[in-house]
Amino acid sequence: DTGVSQNPRHKITKRGQNVTFRCDPISEHNRLYWYRQTLGQGPEFLTYFQNEAQLEKSRLLSDRFSAERPKGSFSTLEIQRTEQGDSAMYLCASSLALGYSNTDTQYFGPGTRLTVL
Amino acid sequence: LAKTTQPISMDSYEGQEVNITCSHNNIATNDYITWYQQFPSQGPRFIIQGYKTKVTNEVASLFIPADRKSSTLSLPRVSLSDTAVYYCLVPLYSGAGSYQLTFGKGTKLSVIP
């Protein structure tokens, strides 16, 4: 399977714990996006990378959220001191961006469902 | 505040054509409008993308008027397997010369036998 993969698929944690999610994009894709999706809502953009550079992070929900893409390949999203309101599906997408277009075709992974107790 | 608007839900019988419209203000001048399909517990799946006028692929058509303030996804002859949530994705102006990719809230399409 050469699509976008995310691990874990499900994560249950207690309030106050830190969690980290991983996304492996399609291999030749240079852009990687993170979204959060709550029940009944569309995906909410969090941040994105072009290669290893994080080009937009102002939409990260708070300073408890951080993302990295150290070698321009896989990425991690970390949430520190989780709160019950962080419970959601966290989606990753990748794309092959040519130039500086904002609407390259994104291919999504299956998501990581986080439940904070 | 830049936002998109879609109908919350639609019902259709099998075999009918379904049109779902997304309205959006402050769309970026040079970027495309994209539509996605999402099934429960899965990530969104790309359907079609366009800039203006009409685009057609093997599964859908996309109509975008000249002012680009809306777009209409057209699904010909829907089947039960088309029951899903459909989202438009639009780059909207978010202030200070920047644009943010914005998903609509989604339209839940239910196809009835």
Side-chain angles (χ1 to χ4, degrees):
Chain A
D1 186 350
T2 57
V4 178
S5 62
Q6 293 187 245
N7 288 288
R9 292 292 309 276
H10 304 273
K11 178 70 176 178
I12 300 174
T13 191
K14 293 182 178 180
R15 187 175 52 189
Q17 297 295 305
N18 299 342
V19 294
T20 300
F21 309 139
R22 175 176 171 130
C23 172
D24 286 273
I26 295 171
S27 60
E28 66 270 23
H29 283 183
N30 56 355
R31 279 194 185 172
L32 188 149
Y33 298 80
W34 284 100
Y35 293 85
R36 183 180 78 158
Q37 187 174 29
T38 53
L39 194 63
Q41 300 295 315
E44 176 185 12
F45 170 78
L46 296 178
T47 187
Y48 85 103
F49 295 84
Q50 180 141 335
N51 300 311
E52 65 274 13
Q54 191 171 10
L55 298 187
E56 173 62 69
K57 57 182 179 181
S58 64
R59 303 298 173 177
L60 286 168
L61 300 166
S62 76
D63 58 6
R64 298 184 296 106
F65 288 72
S66 62
E68 293 183 344
R69 194 184 184 196
K71 297 182 180 179
S73 57
F74 73 91
S75 176
T76 56
L77 177 70
E78 181 181 18
I79 308 174
Q80 296 182 328
R81 305 181 302 281
T82 53
E83 301 173 357
Q84 287 184 325
D86 297 332
S87 295
M89 176 77 85
Y90 290 85
L91 294 163
C92 172
S94 72
S95 69
L96 180 62
L98 304 175
Y100 294 95
S101 169
N102 287 324
T103 48
D104 37 296
T105 301
Q106 298 178 38
Y107 296 87
F108 282 80
T112 295
R113 182 166 296 282
L114 173 66
T115 302
V116 181
L117 302 176
Chain B
L1 179 64
K3 65 177 184 179
T4 64
T5 303
Q6 300 178 233
I8 295 174
S9 64
M10 297 180 71
D11 294 336
S12 176
Y13 288 101
E14 276 191 292
Q16 290 189 329
E17 178 185 76
V18 171
N19 296 306
I20 305 173
T21 297
C22 173
S23 299
H24 30 76
N25 57 357
N26 290 324
I27 185 172
T29 304
N30 298 317
D31 289 325
Y32 284 67
I33 298 163
T34 313
W35 282 80
Y36 287 84
Q37 175 192 57
Q38 188 175 29
F39 298 110
S41 300
Q42 295 185 23
R45 186 179 74 166
F46 172 84
I47 301 174
I48 196 167
Q49 184 178 72
Y51 179 73
K52 61 180 179 181
T53 63
K54 178 182 176 181
V55 178
T56 298
N57 63 19
E58 63 275 11
V59 297
S61 294
L62 180 60
F63 301 90
I64 302 170
D67 66 6
R68 297 189 359 108
K69 291 186 177 181
S70 66
S71 60
T72 299
L73 173 71
S74 180
L75 303 173
R77 300 179 299 281
V78 293
S79 64
L80 295 177
S81 63
D82 293 320
T83 294
V85 179
Y86 293 83
Y87 294 97
C88 59
L89 174 61
V90 181
L92 295 179
Y93 179 65
S94 57
S98 65
Y99 292 86
Q100 179 183 349
L101 288 172
T102 304
F103 273 91
K105 292 190 175 182
T107 298
K108 184 175 183 180
L109 173 64
S110 299
V111 180
I112 306 165

